[in-house]
Amino acid sequence: MAACHLRSNSLPSTSHPLTVSIEKQIYKLKASHSPSIAHKLSGIKNLFECVDDLLQLPHAQQTLSHEMQRQCVENALNGSLELLELCDSTRDFVSQMKECVQELELSLRRRKGRDSGLTGEVDAYMVSRKRLNKAICKYLKDLKKRRGIAQQQFWIPMAKSKPSGWSVISKLLQTKRVPCKVEIEVNEVEKIDGELLILKSSKDISLSQLENLLKELEAFESSNKEAEEELECIYRRLVKTRVSLLNILN
């Protein structure tokens, strides 16, 4: 395997403004305690914008187009392809979660005026949720396995590289290093689940209780919509980054 490190003057160093911006974005994502997945995804979008800006630098393109760096660019391309697949799967999971909530909202609106329990509606929602959780867990398990294989193939040699602008990009484009998880807003989901279980166990449901629950579901659906929009932006940005890498390789 070709060596993946560069001379300190080959690419923007770790003190270059764009490299510093990338490091700052990574730090913000790691330090963020925001419960909003849309907020986190917005940070990831900004991160990859900085990456692509760095790849657009003429000096960076000239250096990376050198034959000695071909293997590095190919490895980064492999990483970008995995990230695209990860992003696409995450979009699918968020979309499925939104569908679960929409179906619950629809069933709750249909029963307005009735004061009987919510057993049927809650049970149907929970079945859908469990099915989705199972699919997510399986995906994460497969992803972890693939990451292990990828690490054995090309991550270890890259870890020996000296710090440089390219090492930042190389590490970032490996799914193991990207501060992005396939996740739904757990706190909000658990909160809704808790309230549903309480209402399910109640024999009489007041109209105000039902309306409050619908408001929370609508807010959660809105949050999911924002997450979908941010994921779409990230996907387009990853495609652009991949095109930049292909242009450098060619």
Side-chain angles (χ1 to χ4, degrees):
M1 181 180 294
C4 291
H5 66 275
L6 302 174
R7 296 188 306 274
S8 59
N9 61 348
S10 300
L11 273 175
S13 67
T14 52
S15 61
H16 188 278
L18 282 174
T19 306
V20 172
S21 294
I22 291 174
E23 297 286 9
K24 284 183 177 179
Q25 291 293 340
I26 293 175
Y27 176 78
K28 285 181 181 179
L29 286 167
K30 289 181 177 179
S32 174
H33 297 292
S34 172
S36 170
I37 188 174
H39 177 78
K40 295 175 183 177
L41 290 172
S42 178
I44 293 173
K45 177 186 66 178
N46 294 335
L47 174 61
F48 280 109
E49 286 177 353
C50 292
V51 170
D52 196 65
D53 287 343
L54 188 59
L55 288 174
Q56 299 307 315
L57 295 178
H59 190 50
Q61 293 183 359
Q62 182 180 6
T63 303
L64 294 174
S65 63
H66 194 279
E67 185 64 28
M68 289 294 292
Q69 307 307 328
R70 186 178 183 85
Q71 186 63 56
C72 290
V73 179
E74 289 179 350
N75 288 341
L77 276 169
N78 290 334
S80 68
L81 189 61
E82 291 179 2
L83 287 175
L84 280 168
E85 191 269 338
L86 174 62
C87 184
D88 192 46
S89 296
T90 305
R91 288 193 302 179
D92 184 48
F93 290 138
V94 171
S95 177
Q96 289 183 54
M97 186 64 209
K98 187 176 72 172
E99 289 178 8
C100 289
V101 173
Q102 288 175 336
E103 289 176 5
L104 177 61
E105 285 182 279
L106 182 60
S107 64
L108 291 177
R109 289 195 176 94
R110 283 174 176 170
R111 70 177 313 285
K112 269 192 174 181
R114 292 163 49 194
D115 58 1
S116 58
L118 295 174
T119 301
E121 292 86 349
V122 174
D123 286 347
Y125 170 74
M126 289 300 182
V127 168
S128 298
R129 281 262 287 108
K130 287 180 180 178
R131 187 184 300 117
L132 177 57
N133 285 345
K134 185 177 180 180
I136 292 175
C137 288
K138 183 180 183 301
Y139 178 80
L140 290 175
K141 183 178 180 180
D142 293 341
L143 179 64
K144 185 177 180 180
K145 183 178 180 180
R146 293 200 304 270
R147 282 176 172 178
I149 295 173
Q151 185 176 22
Q152 291 178 0
Q153 289 178 340
F154 51 77
W155 177 252
I156 294 176
M158 294 174 77
K160 299 177 182 178
S161 305
K162 294 181 180 180
S164 67
W166 175 237
S167 68
V168 173
I169 298 175
S170 298
K171 292 177 183 178
L172 185 60
L173 290 175
Q174 309 308 320
T175 53
K176 187 174 181 64
R177 290 283 176 167
V178 175
C180 175
K181 298 178 180 178
V182 180
E183 60 178 17
I184 307 297
E185 292 166 284
V186 178
N187 292 339
E188 190 64 25
V189 171
E190 290 180 347
K191 179 183 177 183
I192 291 174
D193 286 354
E195 292 181 8
L196 284 172
L197 292 175
I198 291 174
L199 292 178
K200 177 184 175 181
S201 63
S202 303
K203 293 182 180 180
D204 298 320
I205 309 297
S206 68
L207 186 59
S208 61
Q209 285 178 301
L210 196 58
E211 289 177 344
N212 288 336
L213 177 59
L214 283 169
K215 286 180 181 179
E216 289 189 28
L217 291 172
E218 289 170 0
F220 182 62
E221 184 182 353
S222 176
S223 178
N224 274 346
K225 183 179 179 181
E226 289 181 20
E228 282 186 307
E229 292 172 353
E230 292 294 350
L231 282 166
E232 180 63 29
C233 291
I234 291 173
Y235 190 88
R236 290 199 300 267
R237 177 59 59 175
L238 284 170
V239 169
K240 185 177 179 181
T241 298
R242 183 168 174 78
V243 170
S244 298
L245 290 169
L246 285 169
N247 289 336
I248 290 171
L249 194 63
N250 294 329

